[in-house]
């Protein structure tokens, strides 16, 4: 199992000495703690699944901790962590092939439902996200939930600005088509 | 139209409050720096849940098959523990026994935890490990020096609650965590009579187990009536296998094999067997600071 595999050259993190390790540890926790709610919500919106969101954030935290030295300015933690987290969520979405949003159904019992799925399904507009590709959903969420300008999204995700623009455009087009289609179905 | 959507989307996203990070995640963050550095062999295959939440036994994704009977098992030596290495020290791991819900562990509960841990260590071939009570709520595990204690740590830290879970038409991925209430278990690991590491007909590591009479009956009834449905076996809510039921399994003899390029390796098979065999911890435990046993004690 992958979890049990550890190459012989992998060394404990505290090899640099206890003091350096202690400082690194407290810097990391101080930077990560204030971002936890936001990260969890972002992952939840992207994955529409609270448990998977928690797993995704944990995965991202572990990656962030391991490469924390590569982050020079800890005040940019949120942007740096977003990239790690969004890439992880994107992998998860792609692995799913289809995004498992359940369509709105008035008869559905909402008690005990996943909070993110329920949040998304409460709004017909957000429910339309199910029709989007992972990248389209990511860009739409970063733009309209995280309220980030296109340039900031491009920097955060390391996507070319043109790619951000075209994905956002396609996402809006697809969402509009989905809503139009559903509107026509409902009007029948 | 597009303008309209661009106005409506922010409102839709912010209409209701989203849940904050759950306590388990806040807790997990604090433990991230304590987790040893590890390699991500196939980052797309598994969750890190296992070691930050001490919960997961994660196997590889593959075309998994579940089958009745025992097709030519070959002996497989559990290989969880690397040979002691001369340049490593004896490792001391300290655990705190935690309450389970409202239940506070008593002295005899702690003794029960210790005996499960002893059984797990014994079944994976650790020589010369000791498990002792310490203080009011601590358990100390001392291991002979091993080059890589991480598999042992993971094995010890897991509650190890095994469930047999009908999934219906839901296809789950190995390593995925099943949220509470999402699926109802048919029965739990207490219906396992015995488990062993084996090999499938192609010589790949496999896990075999035998169910008790009640489990055999339930499994036979369910599998015969639900051929074509998915069925998962989970440890601490993490899927270790989630195959399609191909035929009714009448005799309670089950072999799990990983197919495709992945599958179980001998190490993970040994770990799963140890869990299946030892049963779950009656109370969860949390690893406290660990250090080499012969390191000089430092002031707190």
């Amino acid at each position: 199992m992958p979890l049990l595999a550890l190459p012989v050259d992998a060394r404990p993190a505290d090899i640099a000495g206890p003091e350096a390790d202690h400082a690194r540890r407290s810097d990391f926790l101080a930077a990560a703690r204030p971002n936890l709610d936001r990260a969890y919500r972002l992952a939840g919106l992207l994955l529409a699944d609270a448990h998977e969101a928690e797993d995704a954030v944990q995965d991202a935290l572990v990656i962030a901790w391991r490469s924390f030295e590569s982050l020079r300015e800890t005040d940019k933690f949120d942007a740096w962590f977003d990239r790690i987290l969004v890439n992880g969520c994107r992998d998860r979405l792609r692995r799913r092939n289809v995004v498992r949003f359940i369509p709105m159904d008035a008869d559905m019992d909402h008690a005990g439902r996943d909070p993110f799925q329920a949040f998304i399904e409460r709004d017909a507009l957000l429910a339309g996200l199910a029709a989007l590709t992972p990248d389209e959903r990511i860009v739409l969420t970063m733009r309209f939930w995280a309220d980030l300008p296109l340039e900031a999204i491009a920097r955060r995700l390391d996507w070319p600005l043109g790619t951000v623009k075209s994905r956002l455009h396609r996402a809006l087009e697809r969402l509009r088509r989905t809503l139009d289609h559903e509107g026509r179905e409902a009007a029948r | 139209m597009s303008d309209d959507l661009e106005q409506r989307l922010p409102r839709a996203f912010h209409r209701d409050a989203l849940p904050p990070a759950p306590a388990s995640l806040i807790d997990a963050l604090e433990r991230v720096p304590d987790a040893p550095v590890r390699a991500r062999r196939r980052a797309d295959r598994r969750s890190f849940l296992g070691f930050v939440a001490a919960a997961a036994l994660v196997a590889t994704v593959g075309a998994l098959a579940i089958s009745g009977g025992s097709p030519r098992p070959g002996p497989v030596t559990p290989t969880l523990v690397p040979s002691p290495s001369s340049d490593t020290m004896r490792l001391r791991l300290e655990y705190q026994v935690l309450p389970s819900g409202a239940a506070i562990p008593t002295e005899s509960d702690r003794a029960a935890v210790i005996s499960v841990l002893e059984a797990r260590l014994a079944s994976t071939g650790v020589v010369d490990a000791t498990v002792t009570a310490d203080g009011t709520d601590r358990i100390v595990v001392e291991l002979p020096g091993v080059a890589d204690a991480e598999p042992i740590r993971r094995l010890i830290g897991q509650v190890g609650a095994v469930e047999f879970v009908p999934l219906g038409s839901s296809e789950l991925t190995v390593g995925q965590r099943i949220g509470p209430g999402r699926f109802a278990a048919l029965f739990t690991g207490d219906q396992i009579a015995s488990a062993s590491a084996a090999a499938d007909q192609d010589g790949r590591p496999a896990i075999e187990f035998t169910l008790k009479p009640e489990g055999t009956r339930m499994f036979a009834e369910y599998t015969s009536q639900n051929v074509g449905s998915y069925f998962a076996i989970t440890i601490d809510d993490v899927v270790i296998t989630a195959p399609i039921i191909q035929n009714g399994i009448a005799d309670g003899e089950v072999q799990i094999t990983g197919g495709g390029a992945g599958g179980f390796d001998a190490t993970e098979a040994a770990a799963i067997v140890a869990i299946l065999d030892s049963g779950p911890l009656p109370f969860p435990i949390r690893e406290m600071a660990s250090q080499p046993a012969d390191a000089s004690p430092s002031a707190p």
Side-chain angles (χ1 to χ4, degrees):
Chain A
M1 126 175 64
L3 272 179
L4 292 180
L6 191 73
V8 285
D9 59 348
R11 304 302 296 267
D14 59 6
I15 204 88
E19 275 168 30
D21 184 54
H22 184 75
R24 179 177 182 266
R25 175 200 174 97
S26 46
D27 285 352
F28 174 77
L29 291 175
R33 279 190 201 110
N35 284 289
L36 208 55
D37 282 345
R38 183 184 178 282
Y40 176 67
R41 289 167 177 156
L42 175 58
L45 286 172
L46 293 177
L47 299 167
D49 182 312
H51 294 290
E52 230 193 320
E54 191 175 341
D55 285 356
V57 175
Q58 287 189 4
D59 281 7
L61 286 169
V62 171
I63 295 169
W65 164 244
R66 287 176 47 208
S67 46
F68 191 52
E69 276 87 6
S70 71
L71 177 66
R72 294 268 169 261
E73 299 153 274
T74 48
D75 60 329
K76 301 234 170 89
F77 184 90
D78 66 325
W80 178 72
F81 189 68
D82 261 12
R83 184 185 305 177
I84 298 171
L85 178 65
V86 168
N87 284 339
C89 290
R90 190 184 187 199
D91 283 347
R92 285 169 180 268
L93 288 169
R94 286 178 171 168
R95 275 203 309 265
R96 277 185 196 168
N97 295 323
V98 284
V99 180
R100 301 167 302 148
F101 291 173
I102 300 162
M104 286 283 272
D105 183 343
D107 298 332
M108 199 175 269
D109 176 19
H110 279 249
R113 299 270 302 287
D114 184 279
F116 288 104
Q117 202 168 71
F119 177 91
I120 286 163
E121 287 163 17
R122 265 201 298 275
D123 189 289
L125 198 55
L126 299 183
L129 297 181
L132 305 183
T133 68
D135 285 345
E136 288 167 358
R137 190 180 19 260
I138 287 167
V139 76
L140 212 71
T141 308
M142 299 297 275
R143 177 72 194 91
F144 297 113
W145 175 75
D147 196 28
L148 292 168
L150 300 182
E151 294 76 14
I153 298 173
R155 277 197 305 274
R156 257 172 211 233
L157 302 184
D158 200 21
W159 292 357
L161 183 59
T163 304
V164 174
K165 285 180 178 167
S166 62
R167 282 177 180 163
L168 184 61
H169 181 75
R170 275 204 306 275
L172 289 167
E173 282 297 312
R174 198 192 300 270
L175 188 57
R176 187 180 316 116
R177 276 202 308 276
T178 306
L179 297 172
D180 285 353
H181 178 74
E182 281 171 6
R184 277 200 304 277
E185 292 283 304
R188 268 187 196 174
Chain B
M1 264 317 256
S2 167
D3 290 345
D4 180 41
L5 270 186
E6 289 179 41
Q7 313 259 313
R8 285 165 61 201
L9 274 163
R11 286 201 299 272
F13 269 123
H14 295 100
R15 183 167 302 152
D16 295 317
L18 282 164
S24 52
L25 183 57
I26 295 166
D27 205 35
L29 165 63
E30 303 299 320
R31 280 178 281 131
V32 163
D34 296 327
V37 175
R38 75 185 47 245
R40 289 173 73 93
R41 195 170 71 189
R42 285 291 297 266
D44 60 337
R45 280 191 172 178
R46 36 63 88 265
S47 152
F48 269 101
L49 174 72
F51 83 102
V52 284
L57 258 178
V58 180
T60 45
V61 181
L64 292 151
I66 196 168
S67 59
S70 313
R72 315 293 70 77
V76 170
T77 310
T79 51
L80 192 63
V81 189
S83 305
S85 147
S86 57
D87 60 350
T88 53
M89 290 172 287
R90 197 171 165 84
L91 186 70
R92 182 179 192 275
L93 302 171
E94 187 175 337
Y95 294 86
Q96 183 183 21
V97 184
L98 302 174
S100 172
I104 307 294
T106 64
E107 192 55 44
S108 70
D109 292 327
R110 177 162 65 165
V113 170
I114 288 174
S115 76
V116 171
L117 295 182
E118 284 172 342
R120 284 185 190 173
L121 291 169
S123 102
T124 53
V126 180
V127 182
D128 204 21
T130 60
V131 187
T132 48
D134 186 46
T136 53
D137 64 348
R138 302 295 165 92
I139 289 176
V140 173
V141 177
E142 285 194 24
L143 298 165
V146 288
D148 173 15
E150 190 46 30
I152 293 284
R153 270 201 161 102
R154 199 159 30 244
L155 178 67
I156 292 172
Q158 290 188 85
V159 169
V162 176
E163 291 192 317
F164 291 75
V165 189
L167 302 176
S169 58
S170 303
E171 183 179 2
L172 295 189
T173 310
V174 172
Q176 195 171 344
R177 183 162 58 141
I178 299 185
R182 206 184 278 184
F183 299 98
L186 186 62
F187 52 87
T188 65
D190 63 2
Q191 288 300 321
I192 294 174
S194 65
S196 57
D200 70 3
Q201 56 269 50
D202 299 322
R204 290 172 306 192
I207 295 156
E208 291 187 350
F209 55 87
T210 306
L211 295 171
K212 292 177 183 171
E214 177 66 7
T216 298
R217 187 191 61 72
M218 287 188 282
F219 200 52
E221 192 176 299
Y222 187 85
T223 53
S224 62
Q225 289 169 8
N226 291 277
V227 170
S229 292
Y230 289 94
F231 196 94
I233 299 173
T234 62
I235 297 181
D236 295 340
D237 297 326
V238 174
V239 175
I240 59 162
T241 183
I244 290 180
I245 298 168
Q246 292 175 342
N247 50 279
I249 297 170
D251 56 6
E253 300 275 338
V254 182
Q255 185 189 66
I256 311 170
T257 52
F264 301 129
D265 63 30
T267 307
E268 77 188 290
I272 293 172
V273 166
I275 299 279
L276 296 183
D277 242 0
S278 69
L281 297 176
F283 283 85
I285 58 175
R286 174 170 62 196
E287 186 178 336
M288 314 303 283
S290 62
Q291 58 191 339
D294 46 1
S296 25
S298 52

